[in-house]
Amino acid sequence: VDAKSGEIVKNKNDYVKKGDIIISGNITLNENIKNQTNADGTIYAETWYTTNVTFPYHYKKITLTNNRKTVFTIKFMNKYYDLFNLKQYKTKKIKDNILIKNNIIPISFIKQIQYETNEIDKIYKKEEAINKAINKGKEELLKKLDKDSEILNYRILEKYEEKDKVNLKIFFTVKENITDYKKVEEIK
């Protein structure tokens, strides 16, 4: 608890729940309210979360890059021959637009838009997949929390392995900013 003004009414390591007052604007003496002020401060707490995560042993992901180009090709039989395409993408996704097609001879003149792709194709061992699943669980949890939150610890509660993937139930302890303000009526 970092109190800028007001009186701290909960001690470190006290269990609190949502809505509990931790810094009060009531200034007390011998349990009588003597004065009121604005209560201001920041409160960090250890919070608990449980997450279910699945990660495959064979991981394949294809993503598009920002690179694309227009290429003219000739298709003969089921083979493509690029015209004036000096630099080939290692992996790509293609969108065809047939410009000229001959129904008698299997030949076509095609305008292609080629999108460069990045491909990840990896097979993980059991321990690697478990570590990747834990990291995935951490990333998903941190996306839901404030930017100043921090994962303190984790524990795998359940681990279920299937033929092609691992399923984990993970318990996380998190240092989280739980500061919340509420308006209090002035005491007369």
Side-chain angles (χ1 to χ4, degrees):
V1 177
D2 178 21
K4 293 181 178 101
S5 63
E7 185 176 334
I8 300 172
V9 294
K10 294 282 186 179
N11 296 316
K12 185 176 181 178
N13 295 325
D14 281 354
Y15 180 83
V16 295
K17 61 184 186 296
K18 189 174 180 97
D20 284 358
I21 296 173
I22 298 170
I23 303 173
S24 174
N26 296 331
I27 309 300
T28 59
L29 180 65
N30 299 327
E31 296 184 20
N32 293 321
I33 298 173
K34 295 295 182 184
N35 199 359
Q36 280 188 315
T37 185
N38 287 330
D40 188 17
T42 307
I43 296 129
Y44 290 93
E46 181 180 297
T47 54
W48 303 324
Y49 294 93
T50 303
T51 305
N52 293 309
V53 183
T54 299
F55 198 84
Y57 292 123
H58 181 211
Y59 181 77
K60 185 170 185 172
K61 183 177 179 181
I62 300 172
T63 56
L64 294 175
T65 67
N66 291 329
N67 298 330
R68 71 176 231 180
K69 62 184 172 182
T70 302
V71 176
F72 292 96
T73 63
I74 294 175
K75 180 180 176 188
F76 181 67
M77 302 292 263
N78 282 327
K79 291 261 189 190
Y80 288 89
Y81 302 96
D82 292 351
L83 304 175
F84 314 112
N85 185 13
L86 302 176
K87 184 181 177 205
Q88 296 282 333
Y89 291 141
K90 187 175 180 180
T91 58
K92 60 190 170 192
K93 181 179 176 186
I94 298 171
K95 183 177 177 185
D96 284 344
N97 182 14
I98 299 172
L99 300 175
I100 301 171
K101 183 177 182 180
N102 188 325
N103 292 332
I104 299 170
I105 303 170
I107 190 167
S108 304
F109 184 63
I110 300 171
K111 177 182 175 185
Q112 287 184 339
I113 299 176
Q114 296 182 355
Y115 301 91
E116 183 181 33
T117 60
N118 284 331
E119 290 188 15
I120 300 171
D121 191 3
K122 186 154 172 72
I123 297 175
Y124 293 102
K125 295 178 183 170
K126 179 178 150 183
E127 285 304 313
E128 290 175 317
I130 290 170
N131 289 334
K132 289 286 187 180
I134 292 167
N135 289 334
K136 180 181 174 186
K138 287 179 181 179
E139 289 171 11
E140 288 175 0
L141 180 59
L142 288 172
K143 283 181 189 175
K144 297 175 187 175
L145 302 173
D146 291 335
K147 66 178 188 275
D148 59 344
S149 297
E150 172 187 348
I151 294 175
L152 300 173
N153 204 350
Y154 69 89
R155 179 164 308 231
I156 298 172
L157 300 177
E158 294 176 15
K159 178 171 51 172
Y160 178 67
E161 297 173 41
E162 295 181 35
K163 180 181 175 186
D164 59 341
K165 62 187 171 189
V166 63
N167 301 299
L168 301 179
K169 184 175 186 177
I170 310 169
F171 175 80
F172 290 102
T173 56
V174 177
K175 178 184 172 188
E176 184 176 7
N177 183 341
I178 62 164
T179 306
D180 193 15
Y181 294 95
K182 74 177 182 181
K183 188 171 176 76
V184 179
E185 296 298 319
E186 186 177 329
I187 297 175
K188 308 263 182 198

XYZ file of all heavy atoms in Angstrom, residues 16-102:
729
model
N -8.157 -9.400 1.366
C -9.184 -8.420 1.000
C -9.964 -8.944 -0.189
O -9.482 -9.775 -0.956
C -8.577 -7.031 0.651
C -7.917 -6.411 1.865
C -7.602 -7.116 -0.498
N -11.181 -8.451 -0.329
C -11.993 -8.804 -1.487
C -12.443 -7.520 -2.169
O -12.304 -6.421 -1.612
C -13.173 -9.681 -1.089
C -14.140 -9.063 -0.112
C -15.200 -10.086 0.279
C -16.286 -9.537 1.129
N -15.916 -9.052 2.441
N -12.949 -7.626 -3.379
C -13.361 -6.473 -4.162
C -14.358 -5.638 -3.364
O -15.307 -6.153 -2.799
C -13.982 -6.930 -5.481
C -14.245 -5.806 -6.441
C -14.724 -6.340 -7.775
C -14.980 -5.213 -8.733
N -13.902 -4.955 -9.633
N -14.118 -4.340 -3.302
C -14.998 -3.415 -2.592
C -14.522 -3.060 -1.191
O -15.043 -2.122 -0.584
N -13.564 -3.806 -0.641
C -13.032 -3.481 0.687
C -12.282 -2.145 0.642
O -11.573 -1.852 -0.326
C -12.064 -4.559 1.179
C -12.776 -5.810 1.648
O -14.020 -5.830 1.636
O -12.077 -6.783 1.997
N -12.456 -1.361 1.695
C -11.733 -0.091 1.804
C -10.375 -0.379 2.433
O -10.280 -0.968 3.505
C -12.527 0.932 2.645
C -13.831 1.277 1.924
C -11.699 2.183 2.908
C -14.774 2.132 2.722
N -9.326 0.072 1.744
C -7.964 -0.163 2.221
C -7.338 1.144 2.696
O -6.637 1.175 3.696
C -7.127 -0.838 1.112
C -7.768 -2.203 0.781
C -5.675 -1.004 1.538
C -7.225 -2.883 -0.430
N -7.611 2.223 1.966
C -7.194 3.561 2.398
C -8.475 4.370 2.572
O -9.239 4.547 1.629
C -6.281 4.251 1.363
C -5.054 3.397 1.063
C -5.868 5.624 1.865
C -4.198 3.929 -0.071
N -8.699 4.860 3.777
C -9.931 5.583 4.080
C -9.658 7.081 4.154
O -8.585 7.513 4.587
C -10.499 5.091 5.414
O -11.611 5.867 5.778
N -10.656 7.857 3.759
C -10.574 9.306 3.884
C -10.995 9.776 5.270
O -10.862 10.956 5.606
N -11.493 8.843 6.087
C -11.899 9.195 7.452
C -10.677 9.176 8.365
O -10.006 8.164 8.488
C -12.947 8.222 7.990
C -14.234 8.273 7.200
O -14.592 9.307 6.643
N -14.944 7.155 7.143
N -10.411 10.296 9.031
C -9.325 10.376 10.003
C -9.953 10.115 11.368
O -10.846 10.856 11.808
C -8.632 11.760 9.974
C -8.228 12.132 8.543
C -7.461 11.803 10.933
C -7.260 11.179 7.889
N -9.499 9.038 12.029
C -10.118 8.636 13.292
C -9.150 8.804 14.458
O -7.928 8.737 14.307
C -10.563 7.157 13.236
O -9.432 6.344 12.961
C -11.617 6.940 12.159
N -9.751 9.008 15.609
C -9.010 9.039 16.871
C -9.888 8.342 17.894
O -11.045 8.718 18.083
C -8.723 10.488 17.297
C -7.960 10.647 18.611
C -6.551 10.073 18.482
C -7.905 12.103 19.009
N -9.377 7.306 18.511
C -10.144 6.493 19.463
C -11.460 6.006 18.857
O -12.515 6.090 19.478
C -10.407 7.276 20.757
C -9.129 7.673 21.444
O -8.130 6.954 21.389
N -9.132 8.841 22.079
N -11.387 5.549 17.637
C -12.510 5.005 16.880
C -13.616 6.012 16.580
O -14.725 5.643 16.196
C -13.086 3.766 17.579
C -12.079 2.621 17.647
C -12.669 1.356 18.250
O -13.904 1.207 18.274
O -11.879 0.514 18.696
N -13.351 7.301 16.759
C -14.302 8.349 16.385
C -13.738 9.109 15.186
O -12.554 9.422 15.148
C -14.521 9.331 17.555
C -15.221 8.654 18.720
O -16.124 7.852 18.533
N -14.790 8.993 19.932
N -14.613 9.434 14.216
C -14.175 10.183 13.039
C -14.000 11.642 13.438
O -14.939 12.303 13.877
C -15.206 10.041 11.896
C -15.331 8.568 11.484
C -14.807 10.904 10.708
C -16.437 8.286 10.488
N -12.786 12.129 13.300
C -12.465 13.515 13.661
C -12.463 14.442 12.450
O -12.748 15.623 12.579
C -11.085 13.592 14.354
C -11.037 12.883 15.680
C -11.941 13.579 16.652
C -11.884 12.918 18.015
N -12.820 13.496 18.956
N -12.119 13.894 11.272
C -12.015 14.724 10.081
C -12.105 13.818 8.857
O -11.992 12.601 8.963
C -10.680 15.489 10.088
C -10.688 16.679 9.161
O -11.680 16.956 8.487
N -9.576 17.393 9.127
N -12.304 14.447 7.684
C -12.311 13.700 6.435
C -11.386 14.377 5.440
O -11.254 15.599 5.439
C -13.719 13.631 5.822
C -14.590 12.578 6.456
C -15.885 12.415 5.691
O -16.521 13.373 5.320
N -16.265 11.169 5.466
N -10.747 13.565 4.625
C -9.862 14.057 3.569
C -10.025 13.140 2.364
O -10.698 12.106 2.452
C -8.395 14.079 4.047
O -7.590 14.663 3.034
C -7.876 12.702 4.389
N -9.424 13.508 1.258
C -9.423 12.600 0.102
C -8.471 11.448 0.396
O -7.378 11.665 0.884
C -8.952 13.327 -1.161
C -9.990 14.278 -1.691
O -11.178 14.063 -1.522
N -9.539 15.330 -2.340
N -8.918 10.250 0.099
C -8.038 9.089 0.225
C -7.424 8.853 -1.145
O -8.124 8.764 -2.147
C -8.823 7.867 0.681
N -6.103 8.779 -1.186
C -5.414 8.599 -2.461
C -4.217 7.702 -2.251
O -3.494 7.839 -1.262
C -4.968 9.958 -3.014
C -4.430 9.862 -4.427
O -4.685 8.841 -5.094
O -3.738 10.809 -4.861
N -4.008 6.794 -3.184
C -2.856 5.911 -3.092
C -2.936 4.814 -4.132
O -3.837 4.777 -4.963
N -1.979 3.928 -4.075
C -1.911 2.791 -4.983
C -1.800 1.522 -4.157
O -1.029 1.473 -3.201
C -0.683 2.924 -5.912
O -0.715 4.204 -6.540
C -0.692 1.852 -6.972
N -2.571 0.516 -4.560
C -2.588 -0.740 -3.818
C -2.218 -1.878 -4.759
O -2.838 -2.059 -5.808
C -3.968 -1.007 -3.200
C -4.279 0.083 -2.177
C -4.013 -2.364 -2.532
C -5.579 0.716 -2.374
N -1.193 -2.633 -4.392
C -0.804 -3.834 -5.121
C -1.155 -5.038 -4.259
O -0.974 -5.006 -3.038
C 0.691 -3.838 -5.423
C 1.087 -2.808 -6.453
C 1.510 -1.542 -6.071
C 1.026 -3.105 -7.806
C 1.852 -0.596 -7.017
C 1.375 -2.162 -8.763
C 1.785 -0.914 -8.358
O 2.124 0.020 -9.294
N -1.634 -6.077 -4.921
C -2.019 -7.282 -4.189
C -1.583 -8.512 -4.963
O -1.378 -8.464 -6.169
C -3.524 -7.317 -3.976
N -1.457 -9.600 -4.242
C -1.226 -10.891 -4.881
C -2.594 -11.450 -5.220
O -3.429 -11.666 -4.346
C -0.490 -11.834 -3.932
C -0.197 -13.183 -4.554
C 0.527 -14.105 -3.599
O 1.654 -13.778 -3.193
O -0.061 -15.157 -3.254
N -2.837 -11.634 -6.513
C -4.105 -12.185 -6.977
C -3.846 -13.557 -7.601
O -2.717 -13.873 -7.958
C -4.771 -11.250 -8.007
O -3.853 -10.983 -9.060
C -5.190 -9.941 -7.356
N -4.903 -14.342 -7.735
C -4.759 -15.704 -8.205
C -5.625 -15.929 -9.442
O -6.765 -15.467 -9.505
C -5.185 -16.690 -7.113
C -4.438 -16.519 -5.831
C -3.136 -16.178 -5.668
C -4.970 -16.674 -4.508
N -2.805 -16.119 -4.341
C -3.918 -16.423 -3.594
C -6.209 -17.006 -3.999
C -4.078 -16.491 -2.220
C -6.377 -17.083 -2.624
C -5.307 -16.827 -1.763
N -5.075 -16.643 -10.385
C -5.781 -16.963 -11.627
C -5.506 -18.414 -12.007
O -4.415 -18.915 -11.774
C -5.316 -16.067 -12.782
C -5.666 -14.615 -12.593
C -4.761 -13.731 -12.008
C -6.896 -14.122 -13.007
C -5.079 -12.402 -11.829
C -7.221 -12.787 -12.841
C -6.311 -11.930 -12.255
O -6.631 -10.608 -12.080
N -6.494 -19.041 -12.630
C -6.332 -20.385 -13.179
C -6.626 -20.313 -14.678
O -7.606 -19.701 -15.088
C -7.303 -21.374 -12.505
O -7.061 -21.348 -11.096
C -7.083 -22.778 -13.012
N -5.740 -20.914 -15.465
C -5.854 -20.873 -16.924
C -5.725 -22.275 -17.492
O -4.916 -23.067 -17.010
C -4.721 -19.992 -17.516
O -4.759 -18.719 -16.907
C -4.883 -19.827 -19.000
N -6.531 -22.564 -18.513
C -6.415 -23.828 -19.263
C -5.736 -23.526 -20.593
O -6.143 -22.607 -21.303
C -7.800 -24.439 -19.503
C -8.430 -24.895 -18.210
O -7.828 -25.619 -17.435
N -9.648 -24.454 -17.959
N -4.700 -24.298 -20.914
C -3.918 -24.069 -22.121
C -3.718 -25.394 -22.849
O -3.471 -26.419 -22.226
C -2.527 -23.469 -21.778
C -1.755 -23.164 -23.036
C -2.653 -22.230 -20.925
N -3.799 -25.325 -24.182
C -3.521 -26.478 -25.029
C -2.417 -26.094 -25.998
O -2.435 -24.990 -26.550
C -4.791 -26.880 -25.817
O -5.814 -27.222 -24.882
C -4.532 -28.059 -26.714
N -1.460 -26.985 -26.178
C -0.387 -26.725 -27.141
C -0.099 -28.016 -27.900
O 0.060 -29.076 -27.300
C 0.881 -26.222 -26.443
C 1.832 -25.537 -27.382
C 1.678 -24.205 -27.701
C 2.862 -26.246 -27.990
C 2.530 -23.573 -28.583
C 3.718 -25.636 -28.871
C 3.556 -24.293 -29.167
N -0.008 -27.939 -29.244
C 0.212 -29.153 -30.041
C 1.682 -29.566 -30.070
O 2.575 -28.735 -29.926
C -0.243 -28.726 -31.441
C 0.027 -27.263 -31.483
C -0.218 -26.757 -30.086
N 1.907 -30.840 -30.277
C 3.269 -31.337 -30.461
C 3.794 -30.958 -31.848
O 4.972 -30.708 -32.020
C 3.337 -32.850 -30.285
C 3.077 -33.302 -28.862
C 2.062 -34.188 -28.559
C 3.860 -32.827 -27.814
C 1.818 -34.604 -27.261
C 3.629 -33.231 -26.510
C 2.608 -34.112 -26.245
O 2.383 -34.499 -24.952
N 2.887 -30.923 -32.826
C 3.261 -30.480 -34.173
C 2.611 -29.110 -34.381
O 1.396 -29.000 -34.503
C 2.781 -31.472 -35.227
C 3.161 -31.065 -36.622
N 2.396 -31.372 -37.703
C 4.216 -30.364 -37.107
C 2.960 -30.884 -38.791
N 4.055 -30.267 -38.460
N 3.435 -28.076 -34.419
C 2.956 -26.694 -34.523
C 3.222 -26.172 -35.922
O 4.349 -26.193 -36.404
C 3.683 -25.823 -33.480
C 3.250 -24.381 -33.470
C 2.053 -24.003 -32.888
C 4.045 -23.396 -34.040
C 1.657 -22.684 -32.856
C 3.653 -22.067 -34.017
C 2.458 -21.717 -33.427
O 2.063 -20.403 -33.406
N 2.154 -25.729 -36.574
C 2.298 -25.158 -37.918
C 1.502 -23.869 -37.968
O 0.315 -23.846 -37.616
C 1.803 -26.134 -38.978
C 2.050 -25.639 -40.381
C 1.767 -26.716 -41.412
C 2.159 -26.187 -42.786
N 2.095 -27.214 -43.793
N 2.174 -22.800 -38.407
C 1.521 -21.502 -38.495
C 2.025 -20.788 -39.739
O 3.229 -20.729 -39.988
C 1.826 -20.664 -37.247
C 1.136 -19.323 -37.225
C 1.425 -18.576 -35.941
C 0.748 -17.230 -35.936
N 1.031 -16.469 -34.732
N 1.093 -20.263 -40.523
C 1.431 -19.501 -41.728
C 0.890 -18.092 -41.550
O -0.307 -17.912 -41.293
C 0.821 -20.155 -42.987
C 1.360 -21.571 -43.162
C 1.089 -19.304 -44.216
C 0.672 -22.364 -44.249
N 1.777 -17.099 -41.673
C 1.368 -15.703 -41.568
C 1.817 -14.944 -42.805
O 2.860 -15.239 -43.380
C 1.971 -15.025 -40.319
O 3.385 -15.165 -40.356
C 1.436 -15.628 -39.038
N 1.005 -13.972 -43.198
C 1.356 -13.130 -44.335
C 2.289 -12.018 -43.880
O 2.112 -11.454 -42.804
C 0.097 -12.507 -44.947
C -0.900 -13.460 -45.604
C -2.135 -12.701 -46.056
C -0.273 -14.162 -46.790
N 3.279 -11.704 -44.719
C 4.121 -10.536 -44.464
C 3.469 -9.358 -45.188
O 2.413 -9.498 -45.797
C 5.556 -10.743 -45.001
O 5.505 -10.799 -46.426
C 6.182 -12.011 -44.456
N 4.085 -8.213 -45.171
C 3.558 -7.045 -45.878
C 4.022 -7.007 -47.335
O 3.713 -6.060 -48.048
C 3.975 -5.760 -45.165
C 3.270 -5.617 -43.838
O 2.144 -6.071 -43.680
N 3.925 -4.996 -42.875
N 4.769 -8.003 -47.771
C 5.304 -8.030 -49.134
C 4.328 -8.712 -50.082
O 3.818 -9.795 -49.785
C 6.646 -8.763 -49.177
C 7.686 -8.071 -48.324
O 7.653 -6.861 -48.159
N 8.597 -8.847 -47.777
N 4.120 -8.053 -51.225
C 3.301 -8.651 -52.281
C 3.759 -8.093 -53.618
O 4.354 -7.021 -53.690
C 1.825 -8.405 -52.059
C 1.394 -6.987 -52.284
C -0.068 -6.815 -52.145
N -0.544 -6.123 -53.331
C -1.778 -5.802 -53.564
N -2.706 -6.100 -52.702
N -2.115 -5.178 -54.654
N 3.482 -8.860 -54.669
C 3.859 -8.394 -55.998
C 2.926 -9.004 -57.032
O 2.271 -10.022 -56.791
C 5.319 -8.729 -56.310
C 5.658 -10.207 -56.327
C 7.137 -10.402 -56.555
C 7.513 -11.861 -56.380
N 8.942 -12.069 -56.540
N 2.891 -8.349 -58.196
C 2.094 -8.828 -59.316
C 3.034 -9.506 -60.306
O 4.065 -8.939 -60.665
C 1.362 -7.658 -59.992
O 0.547 -7.003 -59.016
C 0.486 -8.151 -61.121
N 2.678 -10.718 -60.701
C 3.508 -11.505 -61.605
C 2.617 -12.051 -62.716
O 1.511 -12.529 -62.464
C 4.184 -12.676 -60.853
C 4.975 -13.549 -61.795
C 5.048 -12.173 -59.724
N 3.117 -11.977 -63.952
C 2.410 -12.573 -65.086
C 3.011 -13.954 -65.337
O 4.227 -14.119 -65.357
C 2.535 -11.689 -66.326
C 1.785 -10.403 -66.169
C 2.434 -9.250 -65.757
C 0.419 -10.357 -66.402
C 1.740 -8.075 -65.595
C -0.285 -9.174 -66.244
C 0.377 -8.023 -65.832
N 2.132 -14.929 -65.495
C 2.594 -16.311 -65.681
C 1.857 -16.964 -66.840
O 0.756 -16.548 -67.216
C 2.360 -17.163 -64.412
O 0.963 -17.236 -64.164
C 3.067 -16.606 -63.214
N 2.505 -17.979 -67.358
C 1.868 -18.838 -68.354
C 1.673 -20.193 -67.686
O 2.604 -20.751 -67.104
C 2.747 -18.975 -69.618
C 2.851 -17.620 -70.322
C 2.167 -20.033 -70.551
C 3.790 -17.607 -71.508
N 0.440 -20.676 -67.788
C 0.145 -22.006 -67.235
C -0.031 -22.948 -68.419
O -0.910 -22.759 -69.264
C -1.128 -21.960 -66.390
C -1.489 -23.297 -65.781
C -2.755 -23.199 -64.967
C -3.166 -24.561 -64.450
N -4.491 -24.516 -63.820
N 0.832 -23.952 -68.455
C 0.748 -24.965 -69.505
C 0.623 -26.315 -68.818
O 1.481 -26.685 -68.023
C 1.980 -24.920 -70.419
C 1.929 -25.915 -71.533
C 0.988 -25.797 -72.543
C 2.816 -26.991 -71.560
C 0.933 -26.734 -73.578
C 2.765 -27.927 -72.589
C 1.823 -27.794 -73.589
N -0.436 -27.025 -69.158
C -0.812 -28.254 -68.468
C -1.059 -27.841 -67.007
O -1.864 -27.003 -66.768
C 0.260 -29.337 -68.635
C 0.563 -29.689 -70.082
S -0.786 -30.501 -70.905
C -0.284 -32.193 -70.733
N -0.369 -28.343 -66.049
C -0.551 -27.885 -64.670
C 0.730 -27.267 -64.121
O 0.949 -27.261 -62.915
C -1.025 -29.034 -63.773
C -2.499 -29.315 -63.947
O -3.281 -28.409 -64.202
N -2.880 -30.574 -63.839
N 1.545 -26.745 -65.003
C 2.814 -26.111 -64.623
C 2.712 -24.614 -64.852
O 2.149 -24.169 -65.858
C 3.974 -26.666 -65.459
C 4.316 -28.089 -65.171
C 5.466 -28.116 -64.259
C 5.983 -29.542 -64.113
N 6.934 -29.615 -63.083
N 3.295 -23.844 -63.910
C 3.328 -22.391 -64.016
C 4.737 -21.941 -64.412
O 5.722 -22.421 -63.848
C 2.960 -21.746 -62.673
C 1.500 -21.884 -62.312
C 1.041 -22.984 -61.598
C 0.590 -20.902 -62.672
C -0.293 -23.104 -61.261
C -0.755 -21.007 -62.331
C -1.198 -22.122 -61.619
O -2.513 -22.232 -61.295
N 4.800 -20.993 -65.337
C 6.071 -20.411 -65.760
C 5.966 -18.894 -65.612
O 5.216 -18.245 -66.345
C 6.383 -20.796 -67.221
C 6.445 -22.297 -67.419
C 5.340 -23.008 -67.878
C 7.606 -22.997 -67.131
C 5.395 -24.382 -68.053
C 7.670 -24.369 -67.307
C 6.564 -25.051 -67.762
O 6.618 -26.419 -67.925
N 6.717 -18.361 -64.644
C 6.689 -16.920 -64.388
C 7.442 -16.174 -65.480
O 8.503 -16.611 -65.932
C 7.350 -16.596 -63.038
C 6.545 -17.119 -61.859
O 5.407 -17.584 -62.073
O 7.050 -17.049 -60.727
N 6.893 -15.032 -65.851
C 7.550 -14.159 -66.815
C 8.153 -12.970 -66.062
O 7.452 -12.303 -65.302
C 6.541 -13.652 -67.853
C 5.778 -14.723 -68.626
C 4.732 -14.077 -69.509
C 6.732 -15.549 -69.469
N 9.405 -12.725 -66.252
C 10.096 -11.558 -65.680
C 10.053 -11.512 -64.152
O 10.074 -10.451 -63.565
C 9.528 -10.247 -66.241
C 9.347 -10.275 -67.718
C 8.076 -10.254 -68.289
C 10.450 -10.352 -68.562
C 7.909 -10.285 -69.665
C 10.283 -10.374 -69.945
C 9.017 -10.347 -70.491
N 9.989 -12.633 -63.513
C 9.996 -12.677 -62.044
C 11.379 -13.130 -61.601
O 11.667 -14.320 -61.561
C 8.922 -13.635 -61.532
C 8.804 -13.612 -60.020
O 9.337 -12.724 -59.364
N 8.102 -14.579 -59.478
N 12.231 -12.160 -61.280
C 13.621 -12.481 -60.947
C 13.783 -12.968 -59.512
O 14.603 -13.818 -59.226
C 14.504 -11.256 -61.199
C 14.464 -10.729 -62.647
C 15.281 -9.461 -62.757
C 14.954 -11.780 -63.615
N 13.006 -12.395 -58.587
C 13.152 -12.756 -57.170
C 11.905 -13.518 -56.710
O 10.821 -12.971 -56.645
C 13.340 -11.494 -56.330
C 13.603 -11.798 -54.884
C 13.752 -10.537 -54.060
C 13.927 -10.919 -52.615
N 13.516 -9.884 -51.716
N 12.110 -14.791 -56.408
C 11.018 -15.649 -55.953
C 10.882 -15.559 -54.441
O 11.876 -15.481 -53.723
C 11.296 -17.105 -56.337
C 11.357 -17.381 -57.812
C 9.973 -17.465 -58.437
O 9.000 -17.810 -57.776
N 9.901 -17.136 -59.711
N 9.648 -15.574 -53.959
C 9.422 -15.693 -52.516
C 9.669 -17.148 -52.116
O 9.317 -18.072 -52.858
C 7.993 -15.310 -52.143
C 7.665 -13.842 -52.306
C 6.427 -13.455 -52.792
C 8.568 -12.850 -51.949
C 6.097 -12.124 -52.927
C 8.257 -11.513 -52.074
C 7.014 -11.153 -52.567
O 6.703 -9.832 -52.686
N 10.247 -17.337 -50.948
C 10.514 -18.690 -50.465
C 9.193 -19.444 -50.250
O 9.035 -20.584 -50.663
C 11.323 -18.620 -49.164
C 11.795 -19.950 -48.668
C 12.687 -19.786 -47.457
C 13.171 -21.130 -46.963
N 14.033 -21.000 -45.794
N 8.254 -18.800 -49.559
C 6.905 -19.347 -49.399
C 5.927 -18.245 -49.752
O 6.172 -17.067 -49.477
C 6.647 -19.836 -47.959
O 6.844 -18.759 -47.045
C 7.546 -20.996 -47.599
N 4.804 -18.619 -50.370
C 3.871 -17.602 -50.845
C 2.451 -18.140 -50.933
O 2.224 -19.351 -50.986
C 4.312 -17.075 -52.203
C 4.390 -18.141 -53.286
C 5.061 -17.618 -54.533
C 5.339 -18.779 -55.495
N 6.217 -18.408 -56.571
N 1.535 -17.195 -50.956
C 0.127 -17.477 -51.204
C -0.213 -16.763 -52.503
O 0.183 -15.613 -52.699
C -0.733 -16.945 -50.053
C -2.197 -17.214 -50.215
C -2.986 -16.682 -49.027
C -4.469 -16.892 -49.267
N -5.251 -16.267 -48.212
N -0.935 -17.437 -53.388
C -1.155 -16.908 -54.734
C -2.649 -16.719 -54.993
O -3.465 -17.586 -54.654
C -0.562 -17.862 -55.792
C 0.945 -17.996 -55.605
C -0.907 -17.395 -57.190
C 1.591 -19.056 -56.456
N -2.962 -15.584 -55.621
C -4.329 -15.316 -56.084
C -4.261 -15.151 -57.598
O -3.596 -14.256 -58.103
C -4.881 -14.059 -55.419
C -6.299 -13.750 -55.780
C -6.795 -12.531 -55.038
C -8.207 -12.195 -55.484
N -8.655 -10.951 -54.864
N -4.926 -16.048 -58.328
C -4.878 -16.052 -59.795
C -6.024 -15.242 -60.393
O -7.147 -15.271 -59.882
C -4.992 -17.483 -60.336
C -3.716 -18.276 -60.180
O -2.658 -17.669 -59.946
O -3.778 -19.523 -60.303
N -5.696 -14.553 -61.485
C -6.699 -13.867 -62.293
C -6.407 -14.255 -63.746
O -5.446 -13.766 -64.343
C -6.623 -12.358 -62.084
C -7.681 -11.617 -62.865
O -8.619 -12.206 -63.360
N -7.504 -10.312 -62.968
N -7.218 -15.148 -64.307
C -6.970 -15.656 -65.660
C -7.328 -14.560 -66.666
O -8.448 -14.057 -66.693
C -7.787 -16.934 -65.930
C -7.377 -18.032 -64.953
C -7.599 -17.402 -67.370
C -8.233 -19.272 -64.993
N -6.328 -14.190 -67.496
C -6.534 -13.164 -68.512
C -6.935 -13.778 -69.853
O -7.859 -13.300 -70.509
C -5.264 -12.320 -68.671
C -4.783 -11.585 -67.412
C -3.461 -10.901 -67.675
C -5.817 -10.591 -66.930
N -6.232 -14.828 -70.271
C -6.528 -15.502 -71.532
C -6.476 -17.004 -71.281
O -5.540 -17.506 -70.661
C -5.503 -15.134 -72.633
C -5.505 -13.629 -72.886
C -5.796 -15.893 -73.917
C -4.376 -13.169 -73.782
N -7.495 -17.697 -71.795
C -7.537 -19.148 -71.607
C -7.932 -19.784 -72.927
O -8.856 -19.333 -73.594
C -8.546 -19.513 -70.515
C -8.598 -20.986 -70.213
C -9.553 -21.270 -69.074
C -9.545 -22.746 -68.769
N -10.451 -23.058 -67.684
N -7.232 -20.855 -73.304
C -7.547 -21.604 -74.514
C -8.167 -22.918 -74.080
O -7.565 -23.691 -73.340
C -6.274 -21.846 -75.326
C -6.560 -22.451 -76.670
O -7.470 -23.250 -76.840
N -5.756 -22.057 -77.655
